Amino acid sequence: MLSTRVKDVIRDIPDFPKPGIIFKDITPLFLDAKLSEAISDDFVQHARSLNVNAICGVESRGFLFGTIIAQKLGVPFILIRKKGKLPGTTIAYSYDLEYGSATIEMHHGDLPKGSRVLIHDDLLATGGTAVAAAELVKLAGSEVAAFSFIINLSFLNGEEKLKKHTDEVYHIVSY
Amino acid sequence: MLSTRVKDVIRDIPDFPKPGIIFKDITPLFLDAKLSEAISDDFVQHARSLNVNAICGVESRGFLFGTIIAQKLGVPFILIRKKGKLPGTTIAYSYDLEYGSATIEMHHGDLPKGSRVLIHDDLLATGGTAVAAAELVKLAGSEVAAFSFIINLSFLNGEEKLKKHTDEVYHIVSY
């Protein structure tokens, strides 16, 4: 089972980024090229089954598998980054965090209008960033066909928020 | 010619991140899956010819092609990130910038000792970050077999600095 292999490799890092939080470190997945290929192929199969024709990857861990999935599918990959990181003209979406707010951006005009988009990131927690990414995709005149994540922290109920955009919320492992 | 196709797609963004600087935006390369595949294949061929058996990608644009190259070669991919971004125990290297200094990190123990490493990033400018990445690789007990970049800003002479580590400095386009 892919999910078992992935869980065996993900590292628990206690007290990161804050005391009391156990961080799920996905970087060891990339130390095993065969495993990272199996994960990519799983994501690609999911995206292909939904006729996805563009991938939006969320900075920066969403870039790690995002570009591989896009290349294997043969579709455009569009970067979603924190405010101020993309050099060109952007569209932006701001959203509330526990304390304060955050803004993410996408280059204006890079996502072909009317695309069926997969939004990809490493981890689904409360879903704030993923929902903001979905709003960006809609602002750009496209449709969210699916979300995919390596990890779903299911006790945070992020999936509920995403279902306003699409029922297709995919993850490889869940905690 | 791949370099011509790449130059045609890279966007010049004036006054980013500061007035007077013309930023070379590589993100449009990922809008064309066939072109991004041709670039990856070119990087892979270069790495294979040098018997590279690990890739270190520098945050965050170095992740974009870095994971693809590693997966195609079938070798580990190790993230090099700015201080504080990696959750586990790290090794760190600090270097001087025009004003102040910067520190980059790699997870301790993730790069197999004695590896022949390719350090990959999107752009070679003055070479400060790439040299620091090379020092990290040596601290980890491995050898820098090569550097690869999409772009070399040759008028900044970064290549000279890198040649202390290896003569194998590869780029697809040069300005």
Side-chain angles (χ1 to χ4, degrees):
Chain A
M1 276 281 287
L2 182 60
S3 61
T4 312
R5 287 168 67 197
V6 169
K7 277 201 173 177
D8 284 348
V9 173
I10 288 173
R11 272 191 293 229
D12 278 357
I13 312 277
D15 301 322
F16 185 89
K18 288 188 249 186
I21 292 177
I22 296 171
F23 188 86
K24 297 291 179 189
D25 177 21
I26 57 129
T27 65
L29 299 173
F30 292 91
L31 302 179
D32 178 343
K34 285 210 187 313
L35 179 57
S36 95
E37 187 161 19
I39 294 166
S40 315
D41 288 347
D42 189 69
F43 280 134
V44 168
Q45 192 177 18
H46 163 255
R48 189 170 281 139
S49 74
L50 297 169
N51 298 312
V52 161
N53 56 19
I55 314 274
C56 288
V58 181
E59 177 176 5
S60 66
R61 284 185 293 264
F63 299 167
L64 296 165
F65 280 115
T67 55
I68 299 178
I69 303 168
Q71 192 172 111
K72 288 190 175 191
L73 271 181
V75 304
F77 178 81
I78 297 96
L79 291 78
I80 292 180
R81 300 203 66 173
K82 291 170 194 115
K83 186 180 166 69
K85 298 285 195 79
L86 289 170
T89 308
T90 59
I91 55 174
Y93 190 86
S94 298
Y95 58 107
D96 291 333
L97 297 174
E98 200 180 348
Y99 302 100
S101 71
T103 302
I104 56 173
E105 297 183 324
M106 180 192 291
H107 273 140
H108 173 72
D110 278 2
L111 176 62
K113 272 191 210 309
S115 296
R116 284 180 55 78
V117 177
L118 171 74
I119 293 171
H120 174 75
D121 204 351
D122 65 324
L123 178 109
L124 174 59
T126 61
T129 307
V131 164
E135 296 291 350
L136 266 186
V137 165
K138 290 201 293 189
L139 271 174
S142 286
E143 172 194 353
V144 180
F147 295 92
S148 75
F149 307 92
I150 305 167
I151 298 171
N152 176 20
L153 298 180
S154 60
F155 56 92
L156 294 174
N157 291 318
E159 208 166 339
E160 282 311 303
K161 280 190 206 153
L162 305 195
K163 290 204 164 160
K164 282 174 212 158
H165 293 278
T166 171
D167 282 336
E168 301 292 344
V169 181
Y170 188 73
H171 60 264
I172 292 178
V173 300
S174 183
Y175 296 93
Chain B
M1 276 282 286
L2 182 61
S3 60
T4 313
R5 288 167 67 197
V6 169
K7 277 201 173 175
D8 283 349
V9 172
I10 288 173
R11 273 191 293 230
D12 277 358
I13 312 278
D15 301 322
F16 185 90
K18 291 188 247 185
I21 292 178
I22 296 171
F23 187 86
K24 298 290 179 189
D25 178 21
I26 57 128
T27 65
L29 299 173
F30 292 92
L31 302 180
D32 178 342
K34 285 210 188 313
L35 179 57
S36 95
E37 188 161 18
I39 294 166
S40 316
D41 289 347
D42 188 70
F43 281 134
V44 168
Q45 192 177 17
H46 164 255
R48 190 170 282 140
S49 73
L50 297 168
N51 298 313
V52 162
N53 57 19
I55 314 274
C56 289
V58 182
E59 176 176 7
S60 68
R61 283 185 293 264
F63 299 168
L64 295 165
F65 280 115
T67 55
I68 300 178
I69 302 166
Q71 192 171 112
K72 288 190 176 191
L73 271 181
V75 303
F77 178 82
I78 297 95
L79 291 78
I80 291 180
R81 300 202 66 173
K82 290 170 195 114
K83 187 179 163 68
K85 298 286 194 80
L86 289 170
T89 308
T90 59
I91 55 173
Y93 191 85
S94 297
Y95 58 107
D96 291 332
L97 296 175
E98 199 180 350
Y99 302 101
S101 71
T103 302
I104 56 173
E105 298 183 323
M106 180 193 290
H107 272 141
H108 172 71
D110 278 3
L111 176 61
K113 271 191 212 307
S115 296
R116 284 181 54 79
V117 176
L118 170 74
I119 294 172
H120 174 77
D121 205 351
D122 65 325
L123 178 108
L124 174 59
T126 61
T129 306
V131 165
E135 296 291 351
L136 265 186
V137 165
K138 289 201 294 187
L139 271 173
S142 287
E143 172 195 353
V144 180
F147 295 91
S148 76
F149 307 92
I150 305 168
I151 298 171
N152 176 20
L153 298 180
S154 60
F155 56 93
L156 294 175
N157 292 318
E159 208 167 340
E160 282 311 302
K161 280 189 207 154
L162 305 195
K163 289 202 165 160
K164 283 174 213 158
H165 293 278
T166 172
D167 282 338
E168 300 293 345
V169 181
Y170 188 73
H171 60 264
I172 293 177
V173 301
S174 183
Y175 295 95

